[in-house]
Amino acid sequence: MKTTSLEEVQRIFKVQKAKYSPSNPPSYEERMDRLKRADKLIRDHWPEFIQTLQEDFGSRDSDQIFGADILSPLFHGKHVRDHLAQWMKPERKSSGLLGLVGQKTYILNEPLGVIGIVTPFNAPVSLAFDPAIEALAAGNSVMIKVTESTPRTADFMQKLVAKYFKEEEMAVVTGEADVSACFAALPWDKMVFTGGSEIGKKILAAAAPNLTPVVLELGGKCPAVVLPDADIRAAAPRISLGRTGNAGQVCLAVDYALVPETKLEALIQQIVEVDQQAFPTMINNPKVSSIINQAGYNRIVGYIEEAKAAGCRIIQVNPANEKLPDPETRKIPLTIVVNPGENLQVSKYEIFGPVLSIYSYKHLDEAIAFINKHEKPLGLYVFGKDKNDIRKVVSSTSSGGVTVNDITLHAGTNTMGFGGVGYSGMGRYKGGILGYKAFCNEKAVYEQGLMGRFTASFLVPFATDRPRSMMRRMVGIKSQPR
């Protein structure tokens, strides 16, 4: 991977800062031109993106890459282009009866300036371009730091962005931890970071001296609650394939499942059957993703070994009886850990790998209490039919979002926004006008009307008792202390 020097990172940032001026924000036509170029960049080069990501991972399903990295910015970008003209109009706000005498109140959504975006390895293309699309639509310039864990993709993205954009519009920088630290410490007008919660803390610390507002898209242990009346045959494929997609290296993947004791064995059996059919072999199977690097592989294997040593029931789905986990290909089979102790790493930490913990419960309140004992997750999934039980889980827990009788779909809409809460993140983007506003300053504007003749009399000190009396009557206070 070509490393961008720290001096070059700072130089590009200064170029973008110098180019932006509140007195001359990009026009609608300029913004649309940038959005169309971003669309063309991805549309014209998506096969190369798939190739570079496969090379970076060692093994990764091309359909997985298309769905995770290509589909979203193309689909999302079209929605933004279709609605941008409307979003750029001033938003009229009610002035009440004062509107009859000429008062006007409205919101102007103005650009913030220069936006910094830091991508993770699991979907570096979409998690760069999804926020960049909204930032460009809002009239900002963008700098992207692509993770060093996908060096080929980082180099390719840097080359393409330089071809399609002037560096004062959008630029990509690459490098190791020193570049990331330099990038995070710059005085952005806003920064977006997607990654682990512990690194998120460091990003916030780096941003604090500049009071940089930060959108953190983190993760956490996303639970699936299987209700007593759930259709196990419908829930199992979503839980299983959602866990093994990209080898579990997805922030919204099901980290653990909670299931009634009476349905525990049925769920395990169905999950195993689904996985066996999907992946009859692993080591030489291009449909099976590798863990991104050796450190990640060692960490996940260590979690499994600790659970085994603790006496946990472990089910490893390995229909071809291959020698797995395999350190050479960094492939790990779906590994189910049943009722692990809360002191174990599989229970404490986001796994980000193909390991699924399953906990059994007697009463639904136990499952809800279990979720609420832990940090708030990015996503929560509920499977069942009873509307009262579904409503109970949704209203009695806190998470970034919820999908009922499926997984992750709440994050794929263009209207609700995607984000976490607490340990799983802060802020939202990719949500239609909500996402657009994430990269705007919502400037409130008040234009005075005929009442301007009288408002000066309300400036202290009052010349008469009348404004004092009027102010107190407005809030129901009759006494007149002076």
Side-chain angles (χ1 to χ4, degrees):
M1 178 177 65
K2 300 173 184 176
T3 296
T4 308
S5 70
L6 303 188
E7 293 76 17
E8 183 70 356
V9 173
Q10 293 167 338
R11 185 195 66 77
I12 297 171
F13 176 79
K14 289 177 181 177
V15 167
Q16 293 199 353
K17 273 288 190 180
K19 181 66 177 178
Y20 172 73
S21 172
S23 64
N24 187 31
S27 65
Y28 168 77
E29 290 75 18
E30 289 173 313
R31 300 182 197 194
M32 283 295 290
D33 174 61
R34 295 172 186 180
L35 292 171
K36 289 176 180 178
R37 277 184 274 149
D39 181 83
K40 183 172 175 57
L41 182 158
I42 299 170
R43 198 172 291 277
D44 288 355
H45 298 282
W46 66 266
E48 295 101 308
F49 274 123
I50 288 178
Q51 180 181 344
T52 61
L53 280 165
Q54 287 178 325
E55 291 171 355
D56 280 329
F57 274 79
S59 177
R60 194 177 179 203
D61 188 347
S62 60
D63 292 332
Q64 176 80 41
I65 297 173
F66 190 91
D69 273 288
I70 307 302
L71 178 65
S72 179
L74 293 180
F75 181 74
H76 172 219
K78 183 180 185 305
H79 180 81
V80 171
R81 295 194 304 276
D82 288 346
H83 293 84
L84 181 58
Q86 180 63 36
W87 294 346
M88 288 181 67
K89 294 178 181 178
E91 296 179 35
R92 296 290 180 183
K93 299 297 179 181
S94 174
S95 298
L97 293 176
L98 292 177
L100 299 175
V101 290
Q103 178 181 305
K104 295 179 181 178
T105 52
Y106 53 93
I107 299 292
L108 286 180
N109 292 304
E110 65 180 15
L112 291 171
V114 182
I115 308 300
I117 298 171
V118 182
T119 75
F121 72 81
N122 58 326
V125 180
S126 66
L127 292 172
F129 282 101
D130 274 335
I133 285 166
E134 289 174 332
L136 292 172
N140 302 284
S141 59
V142 175
M143 281 181 68
I144 300 168
K145 166 60 175 73
V146 184
T147 172
E148 61 270 25
S149 296
T150 54
R152 297 169 184 82
T153 303
D155 286 345
F156 186 58
M157 195 184 303
Q158 184 180 50
K159 175 184 174 182
L160 284 183
V161 169
K163 176 182 176 181
Y164 283 78
F165 290 88
K166 299 175 183 177
E167 68 177 3
E168 62 262 28
E169 297 173 323
M170 182 158 69
V172 170
V173 299
T174 63
E176 302 290 335
D178 59 336
V179 176
S180 298
C182 171
F183 191 92
L186 291 171
W188 304 101
D189 294 293
K190 196 161 198 174
M191 181 163 51
V192 181
F193 169 80
T194 306
S197 298
E198 293 306 308
I199 301 298
K201 294 178 183 179
K202 296 179 180 179
I203 293 292
L204 275 183
N210 297 311
L211 296 180
T212 299
V214 181
V215 175
L216 294 178
E217 299 301 339
L218 308 176
K221 298 179 73 63
C222 300
V225 181
V226 180
L227 297 175
D229 65 350
D231 181 347
I232 296 297
R233 288 185 175 274
R238 290 163 170 82
I239 294 172
S240 176
L241 299 179
R243 178 74 275 189
T244 54
N246 201 30
Q249 297 165 109
V250 180
C251 59
L252 281 164
V254 177
D255 192 284
Y256 66 93
L258 294 155
V259 59
E261 287 181 346
T262 56
K263 294 202 169 185
L264 173 62
E265 297 306 323
L267 180 65
I268 292 173
Q269 180 182 345
Q270 284 297 311
I271 288 174
V272 169
E273 289 180 6
V274 167
D275 194 71
Q276 287 176 334
Q277 292 173 9
F279 307 109
T281 64
M282 289 197 63
I283 291 178
N284 295 315
N285 186 345
K287 297 292 183 182
V288 179
S289 291
S290 297
I291 303 302
I292 186 62
N293 53 37
Q294 198 64 43
Y297 173 89
N298 293 340
R299 177 183 58 80
I300 297 165
V301 171
Y303 288 4
I304 297 170
E305 292 303 318
E306 182 194 47
K308 285 182 180 177
C312 293
R313 179 185 173 194
I314 307 286
I315 299 109
Q316 197 175 74
V317 186
N318 184 7
N321 293 316
E322 297 169 277
K323 190 175 180 180
L324 294 168
D326 178 47
E328 184 173 341
T329 60
R330 302 188 308 281
K331 291 186 177 182
I332 301 172
L334 176 61
T335 304
I336 300 170
V337 185
V338 182
N339 287 318
E342 290 195 41
N343 61 314
L344 299 178
Q345 293 178 95
V346 290
S347 296
K348 293 193 292 185
Y349 304 118
E350 181 182 10
I351 296 168
F352 225 64
V355 179
L356 175 68
S357 299
I358 301 182
Y359 302 89
S360 59
Y361 66 86
K362 293 181 179 179
H363 305 290
L364 183 56
D365 287 342
E366 295 175 16
I368 292 172
F370 186 90
I371 294 169
N372 289 338
K373 280 175 61 178
H374 298 84
E375 299 284 3
K376 299 174 182 178
L378 185 60
L380 183 144
Y381 313 112
V382 188
F383 294 91
K385 302 170 186 174
D386 189 297
K387 293 184 178 180
N388 289 328
D389 282 348
I390 293 170
R391 192 178 300 115
K392 183 175 183 178
V393 174
V394 173
S395 62
S396 300
T397 59
S398 180
S399 60
V402 179
T403 297
V404 177
N405 286 318
D406 219 312
I407 61 168
T408 75
L409 296 183
H410 66 276
T413 73
N414 278 318
T415 56
M416 296 195 297
F418 169 55
V421 57
Y423 198 70
S424 60
M426 61 177 71
R428 273 168 166 68
Y429 68 90
K430 207 174 73 168
I433 192 168
L434 183 153
Y436 171 78
K437 286 186 174 185
F439 300 100
C440 290
N441 172 40
E442 297 180 63
K443 182 164 63 179
V445 181
Y446 182 111
E447 293 185 10
Q448 183 59 282
L450 295 177
M451 288 299 293
R453 302 177 185 179
F454 310 103
T455 52
S457 64
F458 286 86
L459 299 175
V460 178
F462 298 144
T464 69
D465 286 340
R466 186 177 181 186
R468 183 182 301 111
S469 298
M470 289 180 65
M471 288 171 62
R472 283 158 174 70
R473 286 200 300 272
M474 286 172 64
V475 292
I477 296 175
K478 297 181 180 180
S479 59
Q480 295 284 331
R482 300 196 179 196

